[in-house]
Amino acid sequence: MKLFIIEDEVPIREELTQFFEKYGFQCESSDDFHGIAQLALASGADLILLDINLPYQDGFQVCREIRQSSQVPIIVLTSRNTDFDELMSLNIGADDFVSKPYNAQVLLARIQKLLSRASEAQDSVVLTHKGLTLNLLKAEISYNGQNKKLTKNEMGILRLLMVNKGNIIPRDAIIDDLWQSEEFIDENTLNVNIVRLRKTLAEIGLPDYLETKRGLGVPRMKVKDYAADHIFSFLCLAVSGLLVFALLWLIETPMVFIFFVESILFTAFVCAFLYDYWRRRSYYNQLWEILERLEEKALIGEILVQPGFLDGQILDEILRRCNKYQNDRVAGAEQNSQEYREYLDSWVHEIKTPITSARLIVENHKNPATLRIDDELRKIDGFVEQVLYYARSAAVEKDFKVEKTTLQTLVNSALKTYSKPLIQAGGRPVFNGLDVPVCADTKSCAFIIGQIISNSIKYRTENLQISFTAYAKQNAVRLIISDNGIGISPADLPRVFDKGFTGDNGRRYSKSTGIGLYLCKKLCNKMNIGITIQSELGQGTTVILSFPQESYLQEAGL
């Protein structure tokens, strides 16, 4: 175990080092207190002993800096012993507080207990199986030195499978664990997440890490279960056999004839039982196989062949009626959804007229008050545009117009909308090689780039700079949009495209909606444009848009 000691008094530092080294600890410290937090993190220490009274900056500030990027255990060891100091230390992230003069043995016991808890916590957030490591805290997998980030759903699926390694997990159990909702979840949603997880695993050299066992976990009809279900019939057979035996014996029938009659009765019953079992087993196995392969489960009643036994015919009719009822409800819900989208579409176009009129009035009567009103109108216009794309998100491809353009044109179109807030924020754009041709829908791409610019402005620092860089790679053209803003925490990064997710930044900036990047991801998926995001806390954010070199028209053969 390694300790990093942040203490400006050399005698105390040396005393602590000598004491802990006697108990097998590796100790490290530094006299450079300018960047002591970075030195402590770079050391890879398992625990940090931190004094409050330090040169250049106090221990509280050092603790804050460490906590921004690491959860390494911290014990504050200081001569300050007021309740305020202890409360302050614990509130900013310290795990324990010890005041000087201290008892070395008690301090050692506290360190050992804290390290033990940290080790247990580490075991609970890091799962390992067949060389693959899953870090639940970072939402990251690693194998043979290669690391990959996972989405929330991908991590949930892999966590469940690794926790239950060696066992077969039914699809329903995965859905229940992943979404934990009583609402209906389409299996196609699970399929998409599993396909993405397989692709991610293949990228780090594990293409066959997940194995699908088809048919297992599905209840099958077995002879012993069917016999147990018909135990009353066997009892009746036994009673009937005894009665026939008694009657024939009373009339002094030869024993050979009695056994011959009994065997005929038994054989007839067993043949009828096995034939009945075979018919039902064949039908229900076929039913399960169709259900497993059918994407639209509600259509199963329409494609089933009617069975030749009565209870199967009753079940078939029940399924058909249930399916019809379900399909009618789905059709009604789709109709209501369509009407709602059409209403929103109409409302957006109607509301744009008074917004445009109000902005014209502001343009003709400029003064400080109307200019502020114009800023608010611009924000309203942006939110209305979001509503339009959200309402159309289910069938947004119907409004696509794919044409040849350049990345410079797309960026200029987005900047035209956000030029005023960018100027007000004191930001400046930087362009690098954007004169690259692409095939895309100008309107939708401008909206996507605009949302990224809006986030850069919203989560900015001083001297905001947004750079736009383009380069061609293999069969794609990449547009890289980078800013020097506040960045995104590692824990939030895998979930930034989830609908409604705002994360730590959203809690600090109340105007966050969690819809912008969700719409960007959805539009990109519809247009076959790849979108990824990279960020470091305090270092800015980079969004990469990958445009395929072949347009939809070429792919469709038009």
Side-chain angles (χ1 to χ4, degrees), residues 244-245 247-259 261:
V244 169
F245 178 86
L247 288 172
L248 293 175
W249 182 75
L250 286 174
I251 61 175
E252 298 182 351
T253 305
M255 194 61 66
V256 174
F257 184 76
I258 293 175
F259 280 115
V261 171

Side-chain angles (χ1 to χ4, degrees), residues 312-324:
Q313 293 171 1
I314 294 172
L315 174 63
D316 182 76
E317 184 61 27
I318 291 173
L319 283 175
R320 291 180 190 275
R321 294 191 181 190
C322 289
N323 289 348
K324 184 179 183 305

Side-chain angles (χ1 to χ4, degrees), residues 161-367:
L161 296 176
M162 292 182 77
V163 168
N164 297 278
K165 53 191 175 185
N167 299 321
I168 297 172
I169 309 299
R171 299 173 71 85
D172 291 343
I174 298 176
I175 291 175
D176 291 342
D177 183 80
L178 205 58
W179 283 279
Q180 297 180 355
S181 170
E182 294 181 357
E183 298 179 4
F184 172 74
I185 303 296
D186 192 349
E187 276 198 16
N188 289 333
T189 305
L190 177 62
N191 291 339
V192 169
N193 285 282
I194 290 177
V195 168
R196 289 176 179 169
L197 178 57
R198 287 183 185 276
K199 183 179 178 182
T200 303
L201 290 168
E203 289 174 357
I204 60 173
L206 293 170
D208 301 319
Y209 189 79
L210 301 183
E211 185 177 356
T212 301
K213 296 286 188 180
R214 299 192 181 278
L216 296 182
V218 174
R220 301 287 184 181
M221 185 179 287
K222 299 178 180 178
V223 175
K224 63 177 183 179
D225 297 327
Y226 189 72
D229 191 53
H230 289 74
I231 188 66
F232 183 73
S233 299
F234 282 99
L235 289 174
C236 291
L237 173 65
V239 171
S240 301
L242 288 174
L243 289 174
V244 169
F245 178 86
L247 288 172
L248 293 175
W249 182 75
L250 286 174
I251 61 175
E252 298 182 351
T253 305
M255 194 61 66
V256 174
F257 184 76
I258 293 175
F259 280 115
F260 180 71
V261 171
E262 292 284 349
S263 62
I264 290 176
L265 290 175
F266 179 77
T267 303
F269 178 84
V270 170
C271 289
F273 172 81
L274 291 176
Y275 175 68
D276 205 39
Y277 163 75
W278 175 79
R279 287 195 302 168
R280 283 167 171 75
R281 181 178 181 275
S282 299
Y283 173 73
Y284 290 119
N285 285 352
Q286 182 189 38
L287 185 64
W288 273 114
E289 288 174 4
I290 293 174
L291 187 65
E292 283 288 300
R293 297 179 181 181
L294 195 64
E295 289 188 4
E296 295 292 336
K297 309 296 185 187
L299 297 177
I300 188 169
E302 304 297 326
I303 62 176
L304 279 180
V305 178
Q306 194 174 51
F309 50 95
L310 181 61
D311 51 339
Q313 293 171 1
I314 294 172
L315 174 63
D316 182 76
E317 184 61 27
I318 291 173
L319 283 175
R320 291 180 190 275
R321 294 191 181 190
C322 289
N323 289 348
K324 184 179 183 305
Y325 172 74
Q326 184 66 25
N327 291 333
D328 289 344
R329 289 196 64 184
V330 170
E334 289 178 349
Q335 179 65 27
N336 292 336
S337 177
Q338 178 65 25
E339 291 175 359
Y340 179 68
R341 288 198 300 269
E342 289 174 355
Y343 169 73
L344 281 182
D345 233 358
S346 173
W347 177 84
V348 167
H349 289 296
E350 292 294 332
I351 202 69
K352 279 182 173 289
T353 302
I355 292 174
T356 304
S357 301
R359 297 190 74 172
L360 286 173
I361 295 171
V362 169
E363 188 68 27
N364 294 325
H365 300 81
K366 288 185 176 180
N367 59 57

Side-chain angles (χ1 to χ4, degrees), residues 122 124-129 131-143 145-156 158-159 162 197 200-201 204 206 209 489-495 533-536:
Q122 179 69 13
S124 66
V125 299
V126 177
L127 302 175
T128 303
H129 179 60
L132 178 70
T133 300
L134 170 63
N135 190 313
L136 299 175
L137 196 61
K138 297 181 179 179
E140 184 179 77
I141 55 174
S142 58
Y143 179 74
Q146 300 182 75
N147 299 326
K148 280 286 183 180
K149 291 288 185 180
L150 297 179
T151 65
K152 174 188 174 184
N153 288 343
E154 291 170 357
M155 182 177 71
L158 190 57
R159 179 197 62 79
M162 292 182 77
L197 178 57
T200 303
L201 290 168
I204 60 173
L206 293 170
Y209 189 79
S489 68
D492 291 345
L493 199 56
R495 302 175 60 192
I533 188 165
Q534 303 168 0
S535 183
E536 290 186 21

Side-chain angles (χ1 to χ4, degrees), residues 400-418:
F400 284 161
K401 182 183 178 183
V402 179
E403 55 189 356
K404 288 186 177 180
T405 183
T406 64
L407 292 180
Q408 185 71 61
T409 303
L410 298 179
V411 171
N412 288 344
S413 179
L415 282 173
K416 183 178 178 181
T417 305
Y418 289 92

